[in-house]
């Protein structure tokens, strides 16, 4: 049962709730509304109205009893609380599509207000291992910005897509927190500065990340209204569950009071469930009438122990004390468990009663995997006397619905399944094959799990005879200081090969390696060469593939510092064109802002004249001013639509630029990658296309 409940009398935006001690001792609840405001609820204070300056002259934080409302004036995209600097009080951080505000609630004053061209879509506060003080980490449009307590930028890096989730997490167990980030293109990454310690790809956009104890973290994804929640332990998946509802919030809380944390999840259906972190078993369920807006941990009753506080989109707030939230099972759970057990026993009895059940003992399933004819070919062959009726292939984020079912017109002894993978990377596939005799109604399911090579969508080919001249001008050259034999071992692990690649020890080509590849997705040709001195040349027109090769090879060889010379004329031209568009959009934005400021002044002047006409009862003057206001308002609406479209195009160009910087940095490792990011960003700020191309080429 709930230990307390209240209602904010406002609708709350899902995923935008936080809790902080704004006076240093008392827990307060903060939540964003769809009107562009932030509600602050403090049950321990009877606050008198004490407005304060914020975003502008008309923005105020005003208290009415226990509730205060901070007017942001824009749609809130991120909300977080935490300590910055040496102050013991928490700061309220509010992110929008263009700015981030750090606000002292108790002082009713801004700590800082900073414009961010990439926006602020998620915020985390804490201490990163490579920085001396508490910082605010802000995820934007293909970028991550770290600000100190004064709002000064202390770190910046690029990301593959919009950053949708952030957490500070001790991944390697050294006592210092690394940066854990999730993106809209399904990626999860752990990094220390610009060095990527670990990364993986999920099956949907990552919307929540939560650091747990003992090198574990929880995550949640969202795709087409469906949600997934799971736990990773030291980079390995422990468990995951899927639902037809969206995950709104994750929180670690000791539900049963045994001293161990459980994972609490709030869903869009209004359900709240608690699971054991070790295996995902549900130990607590709660159903509310409205969708969950957020879960926070707060000592709202001032007992010295934090409660689990559940907030719904309707403004309902409920608190649950530690060890008192376990409730009885829902009606029908026991019946469903018994029925499932009954069906299992009936199936077992039926199988035992059939005389030919021993026919399948010791049966095997032969498999073969090859990269050919535009796809990865998975071949299945059943044992003697058995036929394959159908096969199911499961792979995360590969198929629509995450599974592929192949059902031949009639059972057959062999079956070939073409697989098409959209990205590079190790892929785990799980295959269930249903086999049985020709005239039997008893079938058996054989299962197998296999990890495909990182570059399985590339096949080895002979050297082409007709290569375009542009191909010879593209590629990456670097010094790996390793023997060609080590690269050959890496290739044998990273490709699907019929025969292993060998490096000859004698002859004119001794100690060197040359291999030609063709991508099965786009039929592009790639060439990799290593000479006896350890110089590696990768000829390719695809900078994404080149980055994947450099990063994978660096991990395999244990290389921490690697510089390179990269030349991709098409990519450089695309970045210069994007920079020209960026410059043009900035000029348009500045002109539109100036026009908007003039229209705002005209509106204020007309309102004053309208009020004067009303006071002297000049009806004709009032009618004239109202008509003028209507015309100006129409102009303002039209200008706003133009500005919105221009801003959307500006954001798209910024994303394109950041993605180009990300691709250029992945061609290097360590300090060289950091320097490349910094030089590219400086060139973008200075709007210098030539310097940007040189930074991409030389790092």
């Amino acid at each position: 049962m709930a230990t307390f409940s209240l209602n904010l009398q406002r609708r709350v935006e899902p995923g935008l709730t936080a809790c902080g001690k704004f006076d240093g001792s008392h827990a307060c609840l903060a939540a964003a509304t769809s009107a562009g405001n932030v509600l602050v609820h403090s049950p321990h204070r009877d606050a008198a109205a004490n407005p304060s300056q914020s975003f502008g002259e008309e923005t105020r934080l005003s208290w009415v009893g226990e509730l205060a409302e901070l007017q942001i004036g824009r749609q809130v995209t991120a909300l977080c609380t935490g300590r910055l600097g040496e102050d013991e009080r928490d700061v309220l951080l509010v992110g929008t599509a263009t700015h981030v505000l750090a606000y002292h609630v108790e002082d009713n004053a801004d700590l800082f207000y900073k414009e961010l061209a990439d926006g602020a879509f998620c915020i985390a506060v804490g201490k990163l291992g490579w920085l001396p003080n508490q910082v605010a980490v802000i995820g934007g449009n293909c970028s991550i910005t770290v600000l100190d307590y004064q709002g000064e930028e202390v770190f910046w890096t690029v990301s593959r897509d919009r950053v949708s989730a952030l957490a500070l997490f001790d991944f390697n167990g050294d006592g210092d927190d690394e940066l854990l980030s999730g993106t809209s293109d399904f990626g999860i990454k752990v990094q220390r500065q610009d060095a990527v310690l670990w990364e993986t790809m999920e099956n949907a956009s990552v919307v929540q990340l939560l650091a747990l104890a003992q090198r574990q973290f929880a995550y949640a994804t969202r795709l087409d209204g469906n949600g997934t929640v799971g736990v990773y332990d030291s980079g390995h998946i422990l468990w995951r569950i899927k639902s037809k509802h969206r995950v709104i919030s994750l929180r670690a809380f000791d539900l049963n009071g045994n001293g161990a944390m459980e994972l609490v999840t709030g869903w869009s259906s209004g359900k709240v469930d608690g699971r054991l972190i070790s295996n995902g078993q549900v130990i607590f369920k709660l159903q509310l009438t409205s969708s969950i807006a957020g879960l926070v941990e707060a000592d709202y009753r001032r007992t010295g122990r934090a409660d689990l506080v559940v907030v719904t989109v309707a403004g309902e707030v409920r608190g649950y004390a530690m060890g008192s939230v376990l409730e009885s099972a829902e009606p029908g759970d026991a019946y469903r468990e018994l029925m499932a057990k009954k069906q299992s026993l009936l199936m077992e009895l039926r199988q035992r009663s059939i005389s030919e059940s021993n026919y399948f003992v010791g049966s095997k399933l032969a498999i073969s995997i090859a990269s050919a004819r535009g796809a990865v070919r998975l071949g299945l062959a059943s044992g003697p006397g058995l036929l394959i009726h159908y096969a199911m292939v499961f792979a995360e984020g590969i198929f629509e619905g995450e599974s592929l079912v192949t059902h031949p017109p009639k059972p057959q002894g062999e079956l070939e399944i073409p697989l098409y993978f959209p990205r590079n990377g190790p892929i785990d596939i799980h295959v269930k094959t249903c086999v049985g005799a020709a005239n039997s109604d008893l079938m058996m399911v054989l299962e197998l799990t296999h990890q495909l090579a990182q570059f399985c969508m590339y096949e080895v080919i002979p050297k082409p005879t007709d290569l375009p001249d542009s191909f010879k001008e593209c590629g990456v050259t670097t010094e790996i200081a390793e023997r060609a034999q080590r690269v050959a071992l890496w290739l044998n692990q990273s490709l699907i090969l019929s025969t292993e690649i060998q490096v000859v020890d004698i002859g004119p080509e001794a100690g060197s390696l040359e291999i030609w590849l063709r991508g099965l997705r786009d039929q592009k040709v790639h060439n990799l060469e290593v000479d006896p001195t350890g110089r590696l040349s990768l000829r390719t027109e695809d900078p994404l593939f080149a980055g994947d090769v450099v990063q994978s090879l660096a991990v395999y060889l244990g290389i921490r510092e690697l510089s390179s010379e990269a030349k991709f004329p098409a990519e450089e031209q695309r970045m210069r064109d994007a920079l020209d568009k960026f410059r043009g959009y900035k000029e348009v934005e500045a002109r539109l802002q100036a026009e908007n400021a003039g229209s705002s002044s005209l509106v204020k002047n007309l309102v004053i004249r309208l009020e004067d006409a009303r006071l002297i009862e000049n009806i004709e003057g009032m009618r004239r001013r109202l008509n003028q206001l209507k015309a100006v308002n129409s102009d303002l609406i039209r200008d706003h639509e133009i500005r919105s479209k221009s801003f959307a195009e500006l954001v798209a160009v910024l994303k394109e630029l950041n993605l180009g910087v990300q691709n250029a940095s992945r061609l290097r490792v360590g300090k060289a990658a950091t320097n490349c990011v910094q030089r590219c960003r400086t060139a973008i700020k200075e709007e210098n296309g030539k310097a940007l191309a040189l930074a991409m080429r030389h790092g």
Side-chain angles (χ1 to χ4, degrees):
M1 298 295 293
T3 54
F4 70 88
S5 63
L6 56 98
N7 201 308
L8 300 176
Q9 303 298 324
R10 301 283 198 286
R11 290 197 64 84
V12 178
E13 284 290 286
L16 297 177
T17 58
C19 178
K21 296 181 179 180
F22 301 126
D23 61 354
S25 57
H26 300 103
C28 299
L29 179 68
T33 69
S34 58
N37 299 330
V38 176
L39 302 176
V40 180
H41 181 263
S42 174
H44 315 293
R45 161 183 177 173
D46 184 12
N50 184 21
S52 119
Q53 195 80 13
S54 184
F55 270 87
E57 292 293 328
E58 300 178 357
T59 304
R60 296 285 188 268
L61 172 71
S62 55
W63 287 92
V64 179
E66 297 180 350
L67 194 65
E69 193 164 357
L70 176 63
Q71 299 179 4
I72 304 301
R74 300 174 177 84
Q75 181 182 0
V76 177
T77 55
L79 194 68
C80 184
T81 61
R83 289 174 49 192
L84 291 175
E86 299 179 357
D87 199 330
E88 295 292 329
R89 299 173 299 175
D90 285 339
V91 174
L92 176 65
L93 290 110
V94 183
T96 70
T98 55
H99 298 81
V100 63
L101 167 70
Y103 199 79
H104 265 310
V105 174
E106 191 68 16
D107 295 341
N108 285 354
D110 293 357
L111 180 62
F112 62 80
Y113 175 64
K114 187 175 183 65
E115 181 178 357
L116 295 175
D118 296 324
F121 302 104
C122 54
I123 304 175
V125 176
K127 185 180 182 304
L128 291 168
W130 68 88
L131 296 175
N133 301 313
Q134 295 273 117
V135 292
V137 186
I138 300 155
N141 189 31
C142 297
S143 69
I144 298 175
T145 306
V146 180
L147 305 178
D148 62 11
Y149 72 98
Q150 294 179 331
E152 298 296 328
E153 182 182 303
V154 294
F155 178 74
W156 185 90
T157 188
V158 289
S159 181
R160 295 173 67 96
D161 206 333
R162 172 183 287 189
V163 182
S164 51
L166 288 169
L168 276 61
F169 169 62
D170 184 10
F171 177 77
N172 51 18
D174 61 355
D176 293 329
D177 284 342
E178 284 77 40
L179 179 59
L180 177 65
S181 61
T183 55
S184 298
D185 67 342
F186 311 170
I188 301 178
K189 179 171 62 177
V190 178
Q191 64 187 91
R192 183 179 182 89
Q193 292 184 300
D194 283 309
V196 177
L197 305 183
W198 173 83
E199 62 180 335
T200 187
M201 296 296 291
E202 274 299 323
N203 60 341
S205 298
V206 181
V207 295
Q208 292 284 328
L209 290 171
L210 176 66
L212 304 171
Q214 300 177 351
R215 302 177 62 187
Q216 296 177 337
F217 72 88
Y219 76 97
T221 64
R222 181 187 306 166
L223 180 65
D224 297 332
N226 300 324
T228 299
V229 61
V231 171
Y232 275 93
D233 184 358
S234 301
H236 303 285
I237 188 71
L238 274 183
W239 56 267
R240 63 164 62 91
I241 61 100
K242 296 176 174 61
S243 172
K244 62 181 179 180
H245 304 293
R246 294 181 291 110
V247 179
I248 302 299
S249 183
L250 295 176
R251 180 64 54 181
F253 188 76
D254 186 6
L255 292 167
N256 49 21
N258 64 352
M261 292 291 184
E262 286 78 39
L263 179 64
V264 187
T265 309
W267 301 83
S268 59
S269 61
K271 182 178 73 171
V272 178
D273 58 36
R275 300 174 183 271
L276 297 179
I277 293 178
S278 58
N279 56 18
Q281 178 186 348
V282 178
I283 63 171
F284 164 69
K285 280 193 274 188
L286 172 71
Q287 183 66 50
L288 300 181
T289 57
S290 301
S291 173
I292 303 301
L295 305 172
V296 298
E297 192 175 341
D299 184 12
Y300 243 45
R301 298 176 296 138
R302 299 188 65 183
T303 61
R305 300 178 66 181
D307 298 328
L308 176 66
V309 180
V310 181
V311 185
T312 70
V313 295
E316 182 183 5
V317 180
R318 291 190 187 184
Y320 296 87
M322 182 183 302
S324 66
V325 297
L326 295 182
E327 299 181 354
S328 59
E330 293 184 357
D333 284 352
Y335 175 76
R336 283 190 290 270
E337 290 180 6
L338 289 173
M339 288 299 296
K341 189 173 182 180
K342 176 184 176 181
Q343 293 296 327
S344 177
L345 291 173
L346 287 174
M347 180 63 68
E348 184 178 353
L349 180 63
R350 178 172 174 267
Q351 291 178 351
R352 289 179 181 273
S353 65
I354 298 178
S355 59
E356 55 184 80
S357 60
N358 293 330
Y359 184 78
F360 300 125
V361 174
S363 62
K364 300 294 183 181
L365 185 71
I367 65 168
S368 65
I369 300 176
S371 298
R373 303 193 307 278
V376 176
R377 303 283 167 174
L378 174 64
L380 303 173
S382 57
L386 298 178
L387 299 176
I388 298 176
H389 290 257
Y390 67 88
M392 294 183 293
V393 184
F394 299 88
E396 290 291 339
I398 304 302
F399 314 113
E400 185 178 355
E402 298 182 16
S403 64
L404 174 68
V405 179
T406 300
H407 197 296
K410 61 180 182 178
Q412 54 192 42
E414 297 182 358
L415 183 65
E416 185 179 80
I417 305 173
L419 302 176
Y420 305 91
F421 301 110
R423 60 177 183 269
N424 299 327
I427 300 170
D428 293 321
I429 61 171
H430 185 72
V431 184
K432 292 185 178 182
T433 307
C434 185
V435 299
N439 299 316
S440 174
D441 61 349
L442 179 64
M443 291 182 287
M444 179 174 58
V445 176
L446 301 178
E447 300 186 21
L448 63 93
T449 300
H450 189 79
Q451 186 180 71
L452 297 180
Q454 182 173 6
F455 299 102
C456 60
M457 290 296 291
Y458 297 85
E459 62 177 339
V460 179
I461 61 172
K463 181 178 179 180
T465 56
D466 52 344
L467 290 173
D469 294 336
S470 60
F471 177 82
K472 301 177 183 179
E473 300 177 357
C474 301
V476 181
T477 304
T478 182
E479 299 285 344
I480 59 174
E482 287 282 355
R483 295 178 296 114
Q485 286 83 351
R486 293 286 308 277
V487 180
L489 292 175
W490 168 75
L491 286 171
N492 291 330
Q493 292 185 8
S494 301
L495 298 169
I496 297 178
L497 302 169
S498 56
T499 58
E500 290 190 353
I501 299 173
Q502 301 289 339
V503 178
V504 296
D505 296 328
I506 57 176
E509 298 182 357
S512 62
L513 173 67
E514 180 179 4
I515 185 172
W516 291 83
L517 303 172
R518 179 168 56 216
L520 301 180
R521 303 185 190 95
D522 51 17
Q523 303 302 310
K524 289 184 178 179
V525 176
H526 317 277
N527 170 237
L528 187 146
E529 297 181 15
V530 183
D531 64 18
T533 64
R535 183 179 180 85
L536 182 144
S537 298
L538 176 62
R539 299 300 172 194
T540 176
E541 296 177 326
D542 187 356
L544 291 176
F545 173 71
D548 290 340
V549 169
V550 170
Q551 295 298 315
S552 177
L553 188 58
V555 171
Y556 181 82
L557 299 177
I559 299 174
R560 296 186 177 182
E561 296 290 337
L562 183 68
S563 59
S564 65
E565 292 290 324
K567 188 176 181 181
F568 295 96
E571 180 75 1
E572 293 172 5
Q573 185 60 44
R574 185 184 67 83
M575 290 289 284
R576 283 195 292 264
D577 294 342
L579 190 59
D580 292 338
K581 292 180 183 178
F582 176 69
R583 186 185 303 112
Y585 287 140
K586 282 184 62 178
E587 294 174 355
V588 171
E589 183 72 14
R591 186 171 66 253
L592 290 175
Q593 286 182 354
E595 294 176 356
N596 186 65
S599 299
S600 299
S601 300
L602 180 58
V603 168
K604 293 179 181 179
N605 187 24
L606 289 174
V607 169
I608 293 174
R609 294 188 178 185
L610 174 62
E611 182 65 15
D612 292 341
R614 186 188 67 82
L615 292 175
I616 64 176
E617 299 181 356
N618 183 357
I619 304 301
E620 185 61 30
M622 290 176 60
R623 185 177 292 109
R624 187 167 58 254
R625 301 306 178 194
L626 285 172
N627 290 333
Q628 292 175 344
L629 278 172
K630 182 178 179 180
V632 174
N633 184 61
S634 299
D635 293 339
L636 285 173
I637 293 174
R638 185 183 65 255
D639 292 343
H640 174 72
E641 292 175 351
I642 296 174
R643 286 190 63 192
S644 298
K645 183 178 179 180
S646 176
F647 179 75
E649 293 172 346
L650 176 63
V651 169
V653 170
L654 275 175
K655 179 178 179 178
E656 187 176 356
L657 288 170
N658 287 340
L659 281 175
V661 175
Q662 167 80 1
N663 294 338
S665 68
R666 296 185 75 247
L667 301 174
R668 288 96 184 170
V669 178
K671 191 65 177 177
T674 304
N675 293 338
C676 178
V677 171
Q678 293 175 349
R679 289 188 61 191
C680 288
R681 193 185 183 204
T682 301
I684 292 174
K685 283 185 174 180
E686 296 175 353
E687 300 177 1
N688 189 334
K690 183 178 180 180
L692 178 59
L694 290 175
M696 295 174 62
R697 183 170 297 188
H698 305 295

